[in-house]
Each structure stands twice: as structure tokens, then as C-alpha cells.
Amino acid sequence: LYFRDFFGLSLKTAGLVAALYGGMNIFARSLGGFLSDKFGMRWGLKGRVKFLMVALLAEGILLMLFSRVTILPLAIGSMIAFAISVQMSEGATFSIVPFINPKALGSVAGIVGSGGNVGAILAGFLLREEGVSWPDALFILGLIVCVLAFVAGAVRFSHEAEAAVAAEIDKTHALPEALP
């Protein structure tokens, strides 16, 4: 609807453009998890958290940018960049989930997954608010995501959890013993 209302596209064309957003799922969520793993290998759980913070911050900034673009090709490009950052943030989030409480992995994954639904519902209320234009609502959501990026960046793990992950990384990357 945004592309139809603000750029005058037909509903069919607007739907095709908006489908590009979902198409980023094909690779970007995995890319976020992969990069989070790389940060985790180098800096442990702190690295995973920092990568999540950076991905979320990029997401918020790109959403604010998208909300202000008035030229269609730039809007499409900024929407794609935003979509990639959203999916990378999701991959990074779920790369941290196993370390929250390994004994309750399913419960933690369910709670984290439902959190996205709660956010979507709350965003829907903002988008329907009288007197708030779609661009302004998207800009506000971008600001909220930026603030939440710093909240996510404040997540800390116990020294024991950090040490356990460091030991696992060392064990995984140890050189195999020479064969007799």
C-alpha cells in the first residue's frame, strides 16, 4: 500500500516491488547468522551481541532513510537495504538464542519468536494512528529500532557462559593430533 499510495504504482506493481522485501529472506537471515558466528568466533558472546547491535542500528537507520525517500528507484533500493538488515538482525538474534538458557532452548526460541509478533502488532497500531502519516510512522519505528539496538547491545552474559563458549571455540579450532 505504501508504494501505491506514495508512488502511484498499481496494486500489482506495488505488490511485486514489496515482494522484494520478502525475497531478501533467501540469503540475508543466513548471512546474519553466519556473520554473528564469525564475530562469536573472534570475540565470544560479546561479539555476537555487538554484531546484533550493529545490525539493528543499521536496520533503524535504513528504515528512517526509507521513510524519507521520495524517488521511486531510491525507495526500492533503500527498502531492499532495510530488508537485508532486518533479516540479518533476525539471523543474529537466533544465533544468540542457544546461549540464553541451553536447558530451555525451545522455550527461549518461542519467546524470542513471539516477541517479533508483538512488535509487529504494536507497529500496526502506530501505522493506523490518525494524524500520523506512513512516512512519519516509519520514521518513528526507525527511531525505536535504533534505541532498541542499544538496549540489545547492553545484553551481558555471565563469566561462566563466556568461558564455556571460549572453551568450546578453542576445542573446535584445536589442531588435530598427529597420527602415529
Side-chain angles (χ1 to χ4, degrees):
L1 295 174
Y2 185 78
F3 283 103
R4 187 190 73 183
D5 293 349
F6 287 92
F7 294 100
L9 299 179
S10 70
L11 193 56
K12 180 179 177 181
T13 303
L16 289 172
V17 170
L20 294 171
Y21 182 96
M24 298 306 105
N25 262 326
I26 294 170
F27 73 93
R29 191 175 297 184
S30 299
L31 180 61
F34 173 79
L35 291 174
S36 182
D37 287 346
K38 293 296 181 191
F39 275 67
M41 293 295 209
R42 176 108 189 221
W43 296 290
L45 292 174
K46 290 177 188 172
R48 289 180 185 272
V49 170
K50 294 300 180 202
F51 176 74
L52 174 60
M53 184 183 86
V54 168
L56 284 169
L57 191 58
E59 177 182 331
I61 291 168
L62 288 165
L63 180 54
M64 289 187 294
L65 174 69
F66 172 70
S67 76
R68 296 300 178 226
V69 173
T70 58
I71 301 167
L72 181 60
L74 293 176
I76 293 170
S78 63
M79 181 202 65
I80 290 171
F82 165 65
I84 290 169
S85 67
V86 168
Q87 303 310 323
M88 286 178 61
S89 295
E90 291 174 3
T93 298
F94 280 97
S95 78
I96 295 171
V97 164
F99 303 104
I100 301 294
N101 185 347
K103 293 178 183 175
L105 182 57
S107 297
V108 172
I111 291 166
V112 169
S114 66
N117 295 332
V118 170
I121 290 168
L122 294 174
F125 285 125
L126 178 61
L127 290 166
R128 295 187 60 178
E129 185 67 30
E130 289 289 327
V132 179
S133 69
W134 282 50
D136 288 344
L138 293 174
F139 190 86
I140 291 167
L141 289 172
L143 285 173
I144 291 169
V145 172
C146 286
V147 168
L148 292 176
F150 290 104
V151 171
V155 169
R156 297 290 180 260
F157 288 90
S158 69
H159 293 295
E160 295 81 19
E162 289 280 0
V165 169
E168 187 175 326
I169 290 170
D170 289 343
K171 183 174 80 174
T172 305
H173 287 80
L175 294 174
E177 294 182 22
L179 296 174

